[in-house]
């Protein structure tokens, strides 16, 4: 394997490892999802923009002017919604359930690409979706779950919003859209801050600041920087394959620290969804490499 590809995999793997305790830190920060989202989004978004500026010396206007204001606002909106959905989901549902649902996002993006970009849905995508659908049916149909339906719904909204962002970003493969991610985080934070201020009549809830500081300064922003670096050396498909580890690692941290054990149905659904997505991503990567070799081979 070329040294540049190894470097790309290391960047992606390091990004996943840093991102994996995100759900745990949300749990440790407190029981105020709107307040957590307010600080996590606003300050975390600022850190994303700061780290992005260290990577891309162009100002934000130069980075984003080619895609136009409409798409900047669209990505900002859906990324913001995904941030709120993730925090609310982790706060109101079993973290393993949330992470399994969110892992489904890349497959959702394939269907959104077919609708909005006119891409053909392959048989492999239909099969993978059917198998993952069985896994999600097991997840949603389990009895005696500690997950609230509102939390599971928030996870679904998060996954759909993430898939929407993936599809839009695919339409601009040569542009650095990290700034939109930062704006989206800030949008979610400011929106939640407004709701907190309007609905709180007494003292604003208490948060644990050590988990919040780790989340804002390290766990939320730095992985995006590492993923941008990884994409310089490996493909998006390879990066997505590494990202599937987050569901496993995130659930592990929750179990290790707060002793929240996933149910048997969650383990079954998670195994079904994650293994299917790994095979699906690997087959897509293999086909992409075959096409690339066919293009460069002399006729």
């Amino acid at each position: 394997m070329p040294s540049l590809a190894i470097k790309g995999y290391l960047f992606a793997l390091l990004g996943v490892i840093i991102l994996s305790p995100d759900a745990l830190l949300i749990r440790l920060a407190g029981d105020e999802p709107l307040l957590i989202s307010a600080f996590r989004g606003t300050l975390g978004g600022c850190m994303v923009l700061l780290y992005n500026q260290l990577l891309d010396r162009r100002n934000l206007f130069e980075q984003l002017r080619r895609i136009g204001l409409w798409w900047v606002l669209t990505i900002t909106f859906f990324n913001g919604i995904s941030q709120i959905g993730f925090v609310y989901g982790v706060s109101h549902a079993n973290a393993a359930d949330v992470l399994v649902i969110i892992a489904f996002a890349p497959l959702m993006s394939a269907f959104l690409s077919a609708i909005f970009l006119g891409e053909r849905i392959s048989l492999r995508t239909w099969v993978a979706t059917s198998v993952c659908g069985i896994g999600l049916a097991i997840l949603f149909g389990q009895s005696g779950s500690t997950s609230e339906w509102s939390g599971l719904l928030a996870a679904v909204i998060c996954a759909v919003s993430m898939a929407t962002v993936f599809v839009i970003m695919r339409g601009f493969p040569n542009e650095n859209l990290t700034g939109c991610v930062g704006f989206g985080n800030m949008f979610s934070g400011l929106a939640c801050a407004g709701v907190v201020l309007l609905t709180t009549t007494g003292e604003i809830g208490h948060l644990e600041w050590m988990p919040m500081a780790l989340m804002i300064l390290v766990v939320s922003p730095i992985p995006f920087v590492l993923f941008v670096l990884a994409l310089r050396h490996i493909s998006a498909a390879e990066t997505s394959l590494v990202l599937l580890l987050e569901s496993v690692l995130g659930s592990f941290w929750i179990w290790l620290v707060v002793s929240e054990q996933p149910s048997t149905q969650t383990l079954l659904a998670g195994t079904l969804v994650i293994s299917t997505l790994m095979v699906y991503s690997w087959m897509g990567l293999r086909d992409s490499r075959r096409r690339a070799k066919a293009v460069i081979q002399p006729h």
Side-chain angles (χ1 to χ4, degrees):
M1 182 183 295
S3 59
L4 288 179
I6 293 175
K7 185 184 294 186
Y9 277 110
L10 289 176
F11 280 138
L13 182 60
L14 182 59
V16 168
I17 291 173
I18 295 174
L19 185 63
S20 62
D22 198 15
L24 171 63
L25 292 174
I26 291 172
R27 282 291 180 82
L28 296 178
D31 298 323
E32 301 283 345
L34 287 176
L35 192 58
I36 293 172
S37 294
F39 285 101
R40 182 180 186 268
T42 306
L43 300 179
C46 291
M47 296 307 297
V48 170
L49 295 178
L50 175 61
Y51 293 143
N52 174 59
Q53 204 61 40
L54 296 177
L55 282 178
D56 193 333
R57 296 294 182 176
R58 298 175 299 163
N59 61 51
L60 285 173
F61 176 77
E62 291 177 344
Q63 293 176 31
L64 301 175
R65 66 181 176 86
R66 290 187 180 181
I67 70 169
L69 179 61
W70 166 254
W71 291 117
V72 170
L73 294 176
T74 303
I75 297 173
T76 296
F77 174 78
F78 281 105
N79 185 68
I81 294 299
S82 73
Q83 295 294 316
I84 298 172
F86 179 72
V87 174
Y88 189 91
V90 170
S91 300
H92 290 80
N94 187 294
D97 293 351
V98 173
L99 292 170
V100 168
I101 293 171
I102 292 175
F104 196 56
L107 208 52
M108 290 184 187
S109 66
F111 285 90
L112 292 177
S113 295
I115 295 172
F116 296 107
L117 300 181
E119 296 181 357
R120 187 179 69 87
I121 300 177
S122 64
L123 177 61
R124 179 174 65 240
T125 300
W126 283 112
V127 173
T129 302
S130 300
V131 176
C132 287
I134 295 173
L136 293 179
I138 294 172
L139 186 68
F140 281 97
Q142 61 182 313
S143 60
S145 174
T146 57
S147 295
E148 298 177 15
W149 274 99
S150 61
L152 297 177
L153 178 60
V156 172
I157 292 173
C158 175
V160 173
S161 299
M162 287 176 61
T164 303
V165 172
F166 292 160
V167 171
I168 297 173
M169 286 186 170
R170 285 184 62 182
F172 303 95
N174 299 319
E175 304 299 331
N176 177 14
L177 303 179
T178 310
C180 295
V181 174
F183 289 146
N185 290 5
M186 294 175 68
F187 162 70
S188 69
L190 292 173
C192 289
V195 173
V196 169
L197 292 174
L198 289 173
T199 58
T200 303
T201 55
E203 184 178 342
I204 294 178
H206 173 72
L207 295 178
E208 296 294 334
W209 290 107
M210 183 58 72
M212 287 299 302
L214 287 173
M215 198 189 312
I216 290 167
L217 298 176
V218 180
V219 174
S220 291
I222 290 181
F224 288 104
V225 178
L226 293 170
F227 296 148
V228 170
L229 290 173
L231 288 168
R232 293 181 178 179
H233 306 296
I234 60 177
S235 68
E238 291 169 306
T239 305
S240 298
L241 194 57
V242 177
L243 280 171
L244 291 174
L245 290 173
E246 186 201 353
S247 298
V248 179
L249 292 176
S251 300
F252 171 75
W253 286 121
I254 289 282
W255 168 78
L256 183 67
V257 177
V258 300
S259 300
E260 179 181 281
Q261 297 185 3
S263 65
T264 303
Q265 293 96 324
T266 296
L267 289 173
L268 176 60
T271 301
L272 197 60
V273 171
I274 300 301
S275 58
T276 299
L277 290 172
M278 288 184 69
V279 173
Y280 173 80
S281 299
W282 176 79
M283 292 178 68
L285 177 61
R286 181 196 61 184
D287 291 347
S288 297
R289 286 178 171 174
R290 285 178 176 175
R291 288 193 295 268
K293 287 182 180 179
V295 170
I296 62 175
Q297 284 178 350
H299 296 284

